[in-house]
Amino acid sequence: MNQELEKLKKQATEAIQKAASTATLTELDVRYLGRKGELTNMLRTLKDLPENERKKAGQALNAAKNELEQAFAHKRATLEKTALEASLKQEFFDITLPGTLRGHAIGTVHVLSQLQEEAERIFSQMGFMIVDGPEIESEYYNFESLNIPADHPARDMQDTFFIKQKRDASHGRLVLRTHTSPNQVRALEKYGAPIRMIVPGRVFRNEATDARHEHTFNQIEGMLIDKDISIATLKGIMKEFLSRLFGKEVEVRFRPGYFPFVEPGLELDFSCLLCESKGCRVCKNTGWVEFMGSGMTHENVLRASGVDPKIYQGWAFGFGLERLAMMRYGINDIRLFNGGDLRFIKQF
Ligand code: DAH
């Protein structure tokens, strides 16, 4: 056994030394140390030796195995270094070249973030504060506090995603908020009346997506509560907002609409900018573009927020940022915003 082992070791070591490529090295590795390798086979015969020889032979075999493993590792490192040096000699590499020669790719602010910032700036100029709220919301704030009880049909229009968690006795389950409206109540609870605020944020719906519908989109909520507030203030504020945003005179009009948290409820349209109200595909030949829901804040919402409706009243609105961006830039598919396609993103 000893002689046999010495012979094997010598043979293997010489072969390793001579190997000219890592591929040959791998072959040798398999031949000697692989599962059916020569040394491995010898290790397997250990059990047939008489007990008094077994220990010594075992030690010798393991020592040989370690030696060969080291020889392989050493040779592999040497071969790799030589290959690297050779390729560096071939390729000219100017280490003095400035790293910025080819330019750094600089990201841009996402079109929706740009629009949101513009809206925030305009509303700030008009004295509105900017408020933030949670994307994971309780059923209470998302629905009940806004005058939408559990069995109300309006819940159907805003199906959403529920968080797997036990129902809280007073606030219900947790949901991904379907709109930014819960922050009407949150802000009134926190700051009280009078208040003038907007809440930009991401909202979610359990929606079959198409060119006009997404499961994740962005809204801006607005609210003004004070004494002697009427729909006329809302009309004036929205006309001013849109005119400043588009940089030209925009007209607005109201139509009746239904939302449980306002009474009366209104839809606001603005004059189509693409065709100057002459009629085109975007405004479906009406000259008007549907823009947002709004209305006078329902007494139940004020009461739920701890505000006395006999003293204070006001209005609220909510619009989608994507729709606005689509109108402004002529984008025809809402799914582009979150699609992550750089060809789209980089245009803004
Ligand atoms: N939250 C409504 C929605 O997502 C939009 C809305 C309508 C907001 C009327 C309001 C409002 O504040 O008064 O469909």
Side-chain angles (χ1 to χ4, degrees), residues 12 21 46 60 85 95 119 123 141 158 199 206 218 225 250 261 288 337-338 346:
S21 72
L46 267 181
E85 279 167 357
I95 56 164
F123 277 110
Y141 279 114
Q158 299 199 355
V199 191
N206 182 6
N218 291 269
I225 304 288
V250 178
F261 33 97
W288 296 95
F337 291 106
N338 284 326
K346 278 184 167 171

mmCIF file of all heavy atoms in Angstrom, residues 12 21 46 60 85 95 119 123 141 158 199 206 218 225 250 261 288 337-338 346:
data_model
loop_
_atom_site.group_PDB
_atom_site.id
_atom_site.type_symbol
_atom_site.label_atom_id
_atom_site.label_comp_id
_atom_site.label_asym_id
_atom_site.label_seq_id
_atom_site.Cartn_x
_atom_site.Cartn_y
_atom_site.Cartn_z
ATOM 1 N N ALA A 12 0.839 11.975 -9.704
ATOM 2 C CA ALA A 12 -0.134 13.072 -9.669
ATOM 3 C C ALA A 12 0.569 14.416 -9.571
ATOM 4 O O ALA A 12 0.249 15.364 -10.299
ATOM 5 C CB ALA A 12 -1.088 12.877 -8.485
ATOM 6 N N SER A 21 -3.174 24.188 -18.519
ATOM 7 C CA SER A 21 -4.425 24.971 -18.506
ATOM 8 C C SER A 21 -5.287 24.527 -17.324
ATOM 9 O O SER A 21 -5.113 23.430 -16.784
ATOM 10 C CB SER A 21 -5.202 24.743 -19.805
ATOM 11 O OG SER A 21 -5.744 23.431 -19.794
ATOM 12 N N LEU A 46 -9.490 0.867 2.524
ATOM 13 C CA LEU A 46 -9.017 0.892 3.916
ATOM 14 C C LEU A 46 -9.695 -0.154 4.784
ATOM 15 O O LEU A 46 -9.079 -0.847 5.584
ATOM 16 C CB LEU A 46 -9.288 2.270 4.538
ATOM 17 C CG LEU A 46 -8.170 3.304 4.455
ATOM 18 C CD1 LEU A 46 -8.630 4.581 5.134
ATOM 19 C CD2 LEU A 46 -6.918 2.776 5.130
ATOM 20 N N ALA A 60 -1.786 8.137 6.341
ATOM 21 C CA ALA A 60 -0.955 8.375 5.166
ATOM 22 C C ALA A 60 -1.803 8.816 3.970
ATOM 23 O O ALA A 60 -1.462 9.763 3.252
ATOM 24 C CB ALA A 60 -0.185 7.113 4.813
ATOM 25 N N GLU A 85 -1.963 38.123 -16.559
ATOM 26 C CA GLU A 85 -0.828 38.935 -16.993
ATOM 27 C C GLU A 85 -0.732 38.968 -18.511
ATOM 28 O O GLU A 85 -0.481 40.012 -19.114
ATOM 29 C CB GLU A 85 0.467 38.394 -16.394
ATOM 30 C CG GLU A 85 0.653 38.862 -14.957
ATOM 31 C CD GLU A 85 1.761 38.103 -14.244
ATOM 32 O OE1 GLU A 85 2.350 37.169 -14.847
ATOM 33 O OE2 GLU A 85 2.019 38.445 -13.085
ATOM 34 N N ILE A 95 -4.609 53.788 -17.722
ATOM 35 C CA ILE A 95 -5.173 54.035 -16.381
ATOM 36 C C ILE A 95 -5.275 55.526 -16.081
ATOM 37 O O ILE A 95 -5.827 55.919 -15.060
ATOM 38 C CB ILE A 95 -4.338 53.343 -15.274
ATOM 39 C CG1 ILE A 95 -2.891 53.803 -15.360
ATOM 40 C CG2 ILE A 95 -4.448 51.841 -15.347
ATOM 41 C CD1 ILE A 95 -2.127 53.488 -14.102
ATOM 42 N N ALA A 119 -47.834 70.550 -8.236
ATOM 43 C CA ALA A 119 -49.124 70.743 -7.573
ATOM 44 C C ALA A 119 -48.912 71.216 -6.133
ATOM 45 O O ALA A 119 -49.604 72.133 -5.654
ATOM 46 C CB ALA A 119 -49.919 69.438 -7.590
ATOM 47 N N PHE A 123 -50.415 74.764 -4.616
ATOM 48 C CA PHE A 123 -51.323 74.782 -3.460
ATOM 49 C C PHE A 123 -50.670 75.454 -2.252
ATOM 50 O O PHE A 123 -51.345 76.127 -1.480
ATOM 51 C CB PHE A 123 -51.809 73.370 -3.121
ATOM 52 C CG PHE A 123 -52.975 72.939 -3.967
ATOM 53 C CD1 PHE A 123 -52.833 71.963 -4.935
ATOM 54 C CD2 PHE A 123 -54.228 73.532 -3.795
ATOM 55 C CE1 PHE A 123 -53.912 71.571 -5.727
ATOM 56 C CE2 PHE A 123 -55.313 73.154 -4.582
ATOM 57 C CZ PHE A 123 -55.162 72.174 -5.552
ATOM 58 N N TYR A 141 -60.886 54.234 8.914
ATOM 59 C CA TYR A 141 -60.545 55.505 8.259
ATOM 60 C C TYR A 141 -60.853 55.475 6.767
ATOM 61 O O TYR A 141 -61.305 56.456 6.189
ATOM 62 C CB TYR A 141 -59.069 55.850 8.475
ATOM 63 C CG TYR A 141 -58.800 56.469 9.820
ATOM 64 C CD1 TYR A 141 -58.029 55.818 10.772
ATOM 65 C CD2 TYR A 141 -59.321 57.722 10.145
ATOM 66 C CE1 TYR A 141 -57.774 56.390 12.014
ATOM 67 C CE2 TYR A 141 -59.074 58.309 11.385
ATOM 68 C CZ TYR A 141 -58.296 57.639 12.316
ATOM 69 O OH TYR A 141 -58.060 58.205 13.530
ATOM 70 N N GLN A 158 -64.741 50.291 -4.726
ATOM 71 C CA GLN A 158 -63.372 50.459 -4.261
ATOM 72 C C GLN A 158 -62.883 49.193 -3.570
ATOM 73 O O GLN A 158 -62.491 49.216 -2.415
ATOM 74 C CB GLN A 158 -63.276 51.656 -3.302
ATOM 75 C CG GLN A 158 -63.680 52.954 -3.952
ATOM 76 C CD GLN A 158 -63.168 54.169 -3.205
ATOM 77 O OE1 GLN A 158 -62.574 54.057 -2.145
ATOM 78 N NE2 GLN A 158 -63.394 55.336 -3.760
ATOM 79 N N VAL A 199 -53.305 66.335 0.393
ATOM 80 C CA VAL A 199 -52.613 65.086 0.728
ATOM 81 C C VAL A 199 -52.284 64.334 -0.556
ATOM 82 O O VAL A 199 -53.161 63.743 -1.168
ATOM 83 C CB VAL A 199 -53.497 64.152 1.593
ATOM 84 C CG1 VAL A 199 -52.670 62.989 2.147
ATOM 85 C CG2 VAL A 199 -54.181 64.909 2.698
ATOM 86 N N ASN A 206 -58.233 46.758 -6.139
ATOM 87 C CA ASN A 206 -58.224 45.423 -6.728
ATOM 88 C C ASN A 206 -58.901 45.532 -8.081
ATOM 89 O O ASN A 206 -60.106 45.403 -8.200
ATOM 90 C CB ASN A 206 -58.978 44.455 -5.806
ATOM 91 C CG ASN A 206 -58.948 43.041 -6.340
ATOM 92 O OD1 ASN A 206 -58.278 42.759 -7.329
ATOM 93 N ND2 ASN A 206 -59.689 42.159 -5.710
ATOM 94 N N ASN A 218 -51.835 57.252 -8.085
ATOM 95 C CA ASN A 218 -51.591 58.365 -7.161
ATOM 96 C C ASN A 218 -52.722 59.383 -7.190
ATOM 97 O O ASN A 218 -53.262 59.667 -8.255
ATOM 98 C CB ASN A 218 -50.287 59.067 -7.537
ATOM 99 C CG ASN A 218 -49.096 58.195 -7.265
ATOM 100 O OD1 ASN A 218 -48.521 58.231 -6.199
ATOM 101 N ND2 ASN A 218 -48.736 57.369 -8.242
ATOM 102 N N ILE A 225 -61.749 73.613 5.237
ATOM 103 C CA ILE A 225 -62.843 73.732 6.205
ATOM 104 C C ILE A 225 -62.651 75.038 6.974
ATOM 105 O O ILE A 225 -61.554 75.311 7.487
ATOM 106 C CB ILE A 225 -62.839 72.557 7.216
ATOM 107 C CG1 ILE A 225 -62.896 71.197 6.506
ATOM 108 C CG2 ILE A 225 -63.988 72.697 8.223
ATOM 109 C CD1 ILE A 225 -64.214 70.842 5.872
ATOM 110 N N VAL A 250 -57.716 78.265 -17.822
ATOM 111 C CA VAL A 250 -58.497 77.025 -17.924
ATOM 112 C C VAL A 250 -59.881 77.277 -17.344
ATOM 113 O O VAL A 250 -60.029 77.962 -16.324
ATOM 114 C CB VAL A 250 -57.797 75.885 -17.142
ATOM 115 C CG1 VAL A 250 -58.617 74.608 -17.191
ATOM 116 C CG2 VAL A 250 -56.400 75.634 -17.686
ATOM 117 N N PHE A 261 -69.122 60.741 1.165
ATOM 118 C CA PHE A 261 -68.546 61.674 2.144
ATOM 119 C C PHE A 261 -68.750 63.139 1.804
ATOM 120 O O PHE A 261 -68.187 64.019 2.451
ATOM 121 C CB PHE A 261 -67.058 61.376 2.365
ATOM 122 C CG PHE A 261 -66.352 60.865 1.132
ATOM 123 C CD1 PHE A 261 -65.635 61.733 0.335
ATOM 124 C CD2 PHE A 261 -66.422 59.525 0.780
ATOM 125 C CE1 PHE A 261 -64.987 61.267 -0.809
ATOM 126 C CE2 PHE A 261 -65.787 59.057 -0.374
ATOM 127 C CZ PHE A 261 -65.069 59.920 -1.164
ATOM 128 N N TRP A 288 -64.782 69.035 -22.858
ATOM 129 C CA TRP A 288 -64.484 68.985 -21.422
ATOM 130 C C TRP A 288 -63.797 67.685 -21.047
ATOM 131 O O TRP A 288 -64.089 66.638 -21.609
ATOM 132 C CB TRP A 288 -65.770 69.107 -20.602
ATOM 133 C CG TRP A 288 -66.457 70.423 -20.780
ATOM 134 C CD1 TRP A 288 -67.466 70.690 -21.659
ATOM 135 C CD2 TRP A 288 -66.173 71.632 -20.081
ATOM 136 N NE1 TRP A 288 -67.841 72.013 -21.555
ATOM 137 C CE2 TRP A 288 -67.061 72.614 -20.588
ATOM 138 C CE3 TRP A 288 -65.270 72.005 -19.088
ATOM 139 C CZ2 TRP A 288 -67.064 73.930 -20.118
ATOM 140 C CZ3 TRP A 288 -65.280 73.313 -18.614
ATOM 141 C CH2 TRP A 288 -66.163 74.263 -19.135
ATOM 142 N N PHE A 337 -46.638 54.238 -16.423
ATOM 143 C CA PHE A 337 -46.031 54.972 -15.304
ATOM 144 C C PHE A 337 -45.211 54.076 -14.380
ATOM 145 O O PHE A 337 -44.156 54.461 -13.903
ATOM 146 C CB PHE A 337 -47.111 55.697 -14.486
ATOM 147 C CG PHE A 337 -47.742 56.832 -15.236
ATOM 148 C CD1 PHE A 337 -49.026 56.722 -15.744
ATOM 149 C CD2 PHE A 337 -47.044 58.003 -15.453
ATOM 150 C CE1 PHE A 337 -49.614 57.764 -16.442
ATOM 151 C CE2 PHE A 337 -47.617 59.058 -16.154
ATOM 152 C CZ PHE A 337 -48.903 58.931 -16.656
ATOM 153 N N ASN A 338 -45.758 52.889 -14.082
ATOM 154 C CA ASN A 338 -45.051 51.994 -13.176
ATOM 155 C C ASN A 338 -44.381 50.832 -13.905
ATOM 156 O O ASN A 338 -43.887 49.909 -13.284
ATOM 157 C CB ASN A 338 -46.011 51.435 -12.120
ATOM 158 C CG ASN A 338 -46.322 52.467 -11.060
ATOM 159 O OD1 ASN A 338 -45.466 53.277 -10.707
ATOM 160 N ND2 ASN A 338 -47.551 52.470 -10.574
ATOM 161 N N LYS A 346 -37.414 58.108 -19.401
ATOM 162 C CA LYS A 346 -36.384 59.096 -19.739
ATOM 163 C C LYS A 346 -36.892 60.287 -20.535
ATOM 164 O O LYS A 346 -36.166 61.230 -20.768
ATOM 165 C CB LYS A 346 -35.274 58.404 -20.544
ATOM 166 C CG LYS A 346 -34.264 57.683 -19.672
ATOM 167 C CD LYS A 346 -33.180 57.132 -20.556
ATOM 168 C CE LYS A 346 -31.982 56.676 -19.752
ATOM 169 N NZ LYS A 346 -31.046 55.952 -20.606
#
